[in-house]
Amino acid sequence: MRLHITNGNLITPDGPLRADLLCDDGVISGVLDAGTRVDCDERYDAAGKLVLPGFIDPHVHSRDPGNNHKEDFDHSTRGALVGGVTTVLEMPNAIPPVETLEVFEQRRAYHEKSAWTDFGLWGLALGESNLDQIGPMFAAGAVGVKLFWGYALHKETRSLIYNLDDEPPENLLMPPPNGQVLRLFAEVARHGGLLAAHCEDKDVLATSQEQLGHPIESYEDLLAARPATAEATTIAIATEFAKATGCRFHVVHMASEAGLEAVRSAQRRGVPVSAETCPQYLTLTDQDYPRVGPVMKVYPPVREQRDQDALWNGLNEGSIVSTGSDHAPHTVEEKNRGFATQPAGGVGCETFGPLLIDAMLRGRTTAERLAQVAATETAKLYGLYPRKGVIRPGSDADLVIVDPEASRTVRNEELVAKQPVSPWHGVELRGAPVATVLCGEVVVRDREVVAPRRGRFVRAEHAAASVG
Ligand code: DOR
Ligand code: ZN
């Protein structure tokens, strides 16, 4: 199967290039002068369009299995594909969670049946109780292990407890003490893996909630109960642990200027700390709450304009290397509840690409940096490079073709998600992904899926990543 993409503006590691792209049997086989005549099975005219590496969404909670009424892998990966994502990295907190090699292998086989995108899998790090599973999960190809640092989990299901009053104390599994976390860092380092964490310090959260003195009723209350100091404190502790052990540590969904300062200071000291942020932190602020409403509740919370501006600076200067959606659906009914009782998290993998494209066209970043944080650097971080994340011969032919002149309005009723309720409902976005190419085949045209399901599991190679 040969695909010929003509006249596009390719976003390559060496900069933009007006050229044709040839894909043979799922792999990029050549970058040709525009207009070169070749025989092919399919031709796509990309004149006037940008051709970027297919986006990688490294932060997706598909709720599958265990909470399939909220979302499932079929819907999350199909929505992602429509939005220009060609690889999804699935978070481990389904039921049962991916906390052993055995569940890892089961989950791989299970998701292979319903994947519309290629996918990798995260493992769950609990502390001492599954320390012996860290090595086996990396050997099986885990992209990273995730510690829900600061979260209480349900003892039986390991589900996240969003509000401590939701469960009686005897059902709670509290986050591991720091001594155990240090051992976890050492174990991940021993296997050359990547440790990522939700960074909100549980003691800072508890005292802040206590000081507030009443349940969360307004957006101001939410910000007071979950201050940025909680994020920066955890990153500071993690920096010491990463320095002591040599473990690569990654901050997921970083939301604050204070968190960014902590990451920058680790990086200045040469400690291997990296960070991700998400479209919600890059495009929304507390000022949007009156318009968006309760559906905006995520942990850590969306903060102020100065935090958003700082995150864009961090992304453009290189302190933030990766973006993810944190697609974490709940039911529409749950999301329409009041603040105190609703769970945190929202729908996002379908709008992930379009929101970043819109921001790029509004001048918040360049097309080159967008390709890096949404594909190339993400692939490097998770041991998928150079197979994924880059337009160059030999890499998988995963692409997103963007029309910079188009515009589209996000509409809940058009989302693929099982529980379609988006904080961006009604927002008009500049530019749009007009085609997604997966494994050398045009699989989406103008939001319509036009090819059969073909997602495959991708194994992370962490040792290869450091030399790639
Ligand atoms: O808002 C969130 N929801 N933040 C997280 O860290 C987890 C996620 C979920 O799984 O619901
Ligand atoms: Zn998450």
Side-chain angles (χ1 to χ4, degrees):
M1 162 74 191
R2 169 172 278 191
L3 171 67
H4 185 197
I5 298 171
T6 58
N7 296 309
N9 196 9
L10 312 184
I11 307 301
T12 75
D14 305 320
L17 182 69
R18 181 68 48 83
D20 289 3
L21 198 59
L22 207 55
C23 309
D24 278 294
D25 298 326
V27 173
I28 297 173
S29 51
V31 178
L32 313 175
D33 290 341
T36 308
R37 288 176 65 92
V38 285
D39 290 333
C40 63
D41 302 298
E42 188 177 358
R43 191 162 282 126
Y44 188 99
D45 178 9
K49 314 282 195 302
L50 303 176
V51 181
L52 291 127
F55 297 139
I56 300 172
D57 186 348
H59 197 148
V60 173
H61 304 262
S62 299
R63 312 301 195 205
D64 186 10
N67 275 306
N68 306 52
H69 62 294
K70 296 192 181 197
E71 184 64 313
D72 60 26
F73 208 60
D74 170 272
H75 285 78
S76 63
T77 55
R78 190 149 43 93
L81 196 71
V82 166
V85 170
T86 48
T87 302
V88 154
L89 307 185
E90 176 65 14
M91 280 291 172
N93 59 322
I95 304 172
V98 182
E99 61 180 62
T100 62
L101 174 63
E102 194 186 346
V103 181
F104 187 98
E105 296 294 2
Q106 284 167 4
R107 195 59 45 86
R108 169 190 169 160
Y110 177 70
H111 285 335
E112 270 170 345
K113 296 191 191 112
S114 54
W116 288 91
T117 60
D118 282 357
F119 70 99
L121 290 179
W122 283 88
L124 180 68
L126 288 166
E128 228 148 63
S129 67
N130 76 334
L131 212 54
D132 64 339
Q133 297 297 313
I134 300 296
M137 288 196 289
F138 278 116
V143 294
V145 292
K146 167 96 176 266
L147 171 66
F148 286 91
W149 212 348
Y151 260 109
L153 305 183
H154 192 284
K155 252 192 189 140
E156 304 298 322
T157 62
R158 311 273 198 246
S159 301
L160 305 182
I161 306 298
Y162 300 99
N163 310 292
L164 282 181
D165 306 339
D166 289 354
E167 283 291 333
E170 63 270 21
N171 287 352
L172 301 182
L173 181 69
M174 295 312 285
N178 282 346
Q180 276 193 37
V181 176
L182 177 56
R183 286 196 60 198
L184 171 64
F185 272 70
E187 186 65 8
V188 175
R190 209 159 70 79
H191 297 285
L194 177 75
L195 175 65
H198 180 105
C199 294
E200 286 188 289
D201 183 84
K202 76 170 188 346
D203 296 330
V204 173
L205 296 184
T207 307
S208 305
Q209 174 65 58
E210 212 174 284
Q211 271 178 334
L212 183 65
H214 59 81
I216 292 162
E217 282 150 14
S218 64
Y219 205 80
E220 291 70 48
D221 290 350
L222 181 71
L223 291 185
R226 305 186 85 94
T229 311
E231 184 168 69
T233 301
T234 299
I235 297 171
I237 295 169
T239 299
E240 293 309 315
F241 289 3
K243 179 162 179 273
T245 59
C247 176
R248 289 190 297 136
F249 180 77
H250 187 56
V251 183
V252 290
H253 54 43
M254 194 165 70
S256 67
E257 183 178 28
L260 175 65
E261 290 296 337
V263 166
R264 279 184 181 140
S265 92
Q267 292 172 345
R268 273 198 296 268
R269 292 165 63 199
V271 182
V273 173
S274 57
E276 165 198 88
T277 193
C278 315
Q280 46 275 36
Y281 306 119
L282 292 169
T283 69
L284 300 171
T285 70
D286 56 346
Q287 300 302 308
D288 290 299
Y289 181 71
R291 176 180 60 81
V292 177
V295 81
M296 207 166 103
K297 181 176 172 183
V298 291
Y299 292 163
V302 168
R303 299 184 190 282
E304 298 169 26
Q305 188 65 52
R306 59 178 296 171
D307 295 288
Q308 185 188 104
D309 293 342
L311 292 170
W312 276 114
N313 289 338
L315 184 148
N316 286 318
E317 83 197 4
S319 313
I320 294 171
V321 295
S322 179
T323 48
S325 69
D326 201 2
H327 181 71
H330 297 286
T331 66
V332 174
E333 185 274 320
E334 283 171 324
K335 289 311 286 179
N336 286 323
R337 279 187 207 156
F339 252 140
T341 54
Q342 76 157 258
V347 166
C349 59
E350 183 175 341
T351 46
F352 168 71
L355 286 161
L356 294 175
I357 291 165
D358 171 82
M360 181 266 289
L361 292 170
R362 288 172 199 275
R364 298 222 79 170
T365 192
T366 61
E368 289 72 34
R369 190 66 192 146
L370 170 62
Q372 288 168 355
V373 298
T376 317
E377 294 294 326
T378 301
K380 288 182 180 172
L381 181 69
Y382 293 105
L384 304 175
Y385 182 87
R387 177 174 170 195
K388 298 290 186 193
V390 62
I391 297 183
R392 72 168 211 195
S395 296
D396 281 2
D398 297 346
L399 306 161
V400 53
I401 301 175
V402 171
D403 182 355
E405 303 300 327
S407 76
R408 268 185 202 150
T409 301
V410 178
R411 299 241 168 258
N412 284 342
E413 50 288 9
E414 290 174 8
L415 293 175
V416 175
K418 239 177 165 174
Q419 297 286 340
V421 53
S422 166
W424 295 279
H425 173 66
V427 175
E428 187 180 336
L429 301 178
R430 282 195 204 168
V434 288
T436 309
V437 175
L438 177 64
C439 199
E441 189 181 357
V442 179
V443 290
V444 176
R445 279 179 195 267
D446 294 321
R447 294 186 48 80
E448 199 191 326
V449 178
V450 293
R453 189 198 314 260
R454 60 170 314 145
R456 301 162 301 175
F457 173 75
V458 282
R459 165 189 294 272
E461 302 285 353
H462 278 290
S466 54
V467 292

